[in-house]
Amino acid sequence: EMLGPEFVNSATHVVLLPPNRIFIFGGSSLDPDEFRKPTLPRAEILDMNASPWQTSALNCEQLHGDLWCGGHTFLADGKLLFVGGTNYYPPPPDPFYGGLKEAYLFDPFTETWERLDDMQVGRWYPTLIRLADDRVLTFSGLEFRTPTETPETNLLKILFELVAKMD
């Protein structure tokens, strides 16, 4: 069954938030014009506690990068970690996007963003794994690059080196 409310932006990333709300994050949604000069809300919240259900735009002014095609995972305190995204849109026929180095925490209770330190390597479509001690492994995805660079291949060996350094 289709939901009644519609989102303005694409639901590229979707997360269930407490209490009974859905967070969607679309970023530029594969639109280079939206990437350069945003006109759509970057994120929206669907409140399923309201009757009828209602969507509202989320303030994303603190975001300086385009988290479209980034990765996310919840932390133990209920905050949502977002890393990576799109730092570069390729002109045709170049098929490779560039990964963003930025990282943010979203607090679903205050609906605010906190800028974190950049990652050492930018990621486009990274995978995030939260470990038992609440640290997060971020790997895979296309790396940060400038328009003239070819993205580096990400080897699984890098993951094993990171795990070994954490012991």
Side-chain angles (χ1 to χ4, degrees):
E1 179 180 338
M2 294 295 289
L3 297 176
E6 292 185 20
F7 294 111
V8 176
N9 207 324
S10 73
T12 306
H13 304 280
V14 180
V15 178
L16 179 62
L17 300 176
N20 212 24
R21 297 175 305 148
I22 295 177
F23 171 92
I24 74 112
F25 192 89
S28 62
S29 299
L30 196 56
D31 183 341
D33 293 332
E34 270 299 305
F35 178 73
R36 287 187 286 279
K37 188 171 182 183
T39 60
L40 298 174
R42 291 291 186 233
E44 298 170 80
I45 299 232
L46 171 64
D47 186 353
M48 296 184 296
N49 299 302
S51 180
W53 292 356
Q54 298 174 4
T55 58
S56 59
L58 189 61
N59 183 352
C60 294
E61 290 179 13
Q62 304 101 311
L63 303 180
H64 300 288
D66 186 1
L67 299 184
W68 179 73
C69 297
H72 53 81
T73 190
F74 278 106
L75 301 178
D77 63 2
K79 292 180 180 175
L80 192 60
L81 174 65
F82 268 88
V83 302
T86 304
N87 87 303
Y88 168 70
Y89 269 81
D94 181 353
F96 298 112
Y97 290 79
L100 202 62
K101 294 181 181 183
E102 294 182 13
Y104 294 90
L105 273 182
F106 176 72
D107 185 329
F109 307 104
T110 62
E111 295 186 2
T112 56
W113 296 92
E114 177 186 345
R115 178 78 158 89
L116 303 175
D117 291 336
D118 283 352
M119 295 184 293
Q120 290 181 356
V121 177
R123 302 282 183 207
W124 192 74
Y125 268 122
T127 297
L128 278 66
I129 298 175
R130 189 181 76 149
L131 304 174
D133 63 1
D134 216 30
R135 289 180 300 163
V136 175
L137 277 178
T138 301
F139 61 100
S140 194
L142 292 178
E143 293 186 356
F144 174 87
R145 74 180 188 119
T146 62
T148 58
E149 295 175 317
T150 300
E152 295 291 322
T153 302
N154 222 320
L155 302 176
L156 191 55
K157 178 181 101 176
I158 295 170
L159 168 64
F160 295 116
E161 288 173 357
L162 287 172
V163 172
K165 288 179 185 178
M166 293 186 331
D167 289 336

